[in-house]
Amino acid sequence: MPFFDPAILQSGQYHDWLVQGLILSLQLTAVSFAFALPFGALVALMRTASFAPLQVLGSAIVEGIRNVPLLAHLLFWYFAFPELLPDGAREFLYANNPEAVCAVIALALYSGVHMAEDIRSGIRAVPPSQLEAARSLGLGRLAAVRLVLLPQAFRAATPPLLSQTVNLWKDTSVATVIGAAEMMYQAARVETASFRSVEAFTFATLAYLTVSLLISFAAHLFQRRYPVRPA
């Protein structure tokens, strides 16, 4: 019997692939969320602005992004967008994991416009008297929005925003089509190399389910701790 069993070594390698895919999926979710949330807040403020051109621009951004499938966004940012860049910027992109970068751009924009609608609902839930009171205390409009309006709007919008985070987590699986080595990519890689379909895709399924349930549980705890009361 050989001292090193090749089957055991390969099994460990397959496990490493799946764990690496899980880590990349979590990273894609976290980085995309970090860009999507402020982008969504900006678009929501544009849509609720009193300046009509800003409202039109905000609506155009939302409708233009959310009415195109995520897969089309991914393919555009991965295949078409680099061709629009100067040579130096394109070479820099290709040298720095372009699959992950383009996946983050597509996921952040796509999730951001959906978050914008949730934040807009939160803004509309804040009584106008709150801004009026802030202005009467001497705050400028931007300071009143930043210190008074947005904190209350985010609190009201947190449960739907967490639901959008679940969607963002699950949407990372689409990045496999452009070769991002996330969890579904690695599960398919293990299946191809070992024909262990049950183990590979069970791991991926349980990982998606576990993280989704954890985020949903966080939303449930938040709703119990901070129930949204009618204004």
Side-chain angles (χ1 to χ4, degrees), residues 133-213:
R135 297 297 299 275
S136 67
L137 291 174
L139 292 177
R141 179 167 181 80
L142 289 178
V145 168
R146 180 171 59 87
L147 299 175
V148 177
L149 178 63
L150 282 181
Q152 296 183 71
F154 274 117
R155 177 173 172 175
T158 295
L161 285 175
L162 287 171
S163 295
Q164 289 297 340
T165 305
V166 173
N167 293 332
L168 172 60
W169 159 245
K170 293 184 293 186
D171 285 343
T172 59
S173 62
V174 184
T176 190
V177 301
I178 60 172
E182 44 71 59
M183 193 156 48
M184 287 304 300
Y185 178 95
Q186 297 288 21
R189 183 183 178 195
V190 170
E191 193 279 333
T192 301
S194 67
F195 300 103
R196 295 183 177 181
S197 306
V198 174
E199 295 94 328
F201 291 111
T202 298
F203 177 92
T205 300
L206 292 178
Y208 283 117
L209 177 62
T210 301
V211 176
S212 297
L213 289 177

Side-chain angles (χ1 to χ4, degrees), residues 30-47:
V31 177
S32 299
F33 180 86
F35 286 106
L37 188 61
F39 173 67
L42 177 62
V43 173
L45 289 173
M46 292 170 65
R47 296 206 68 184

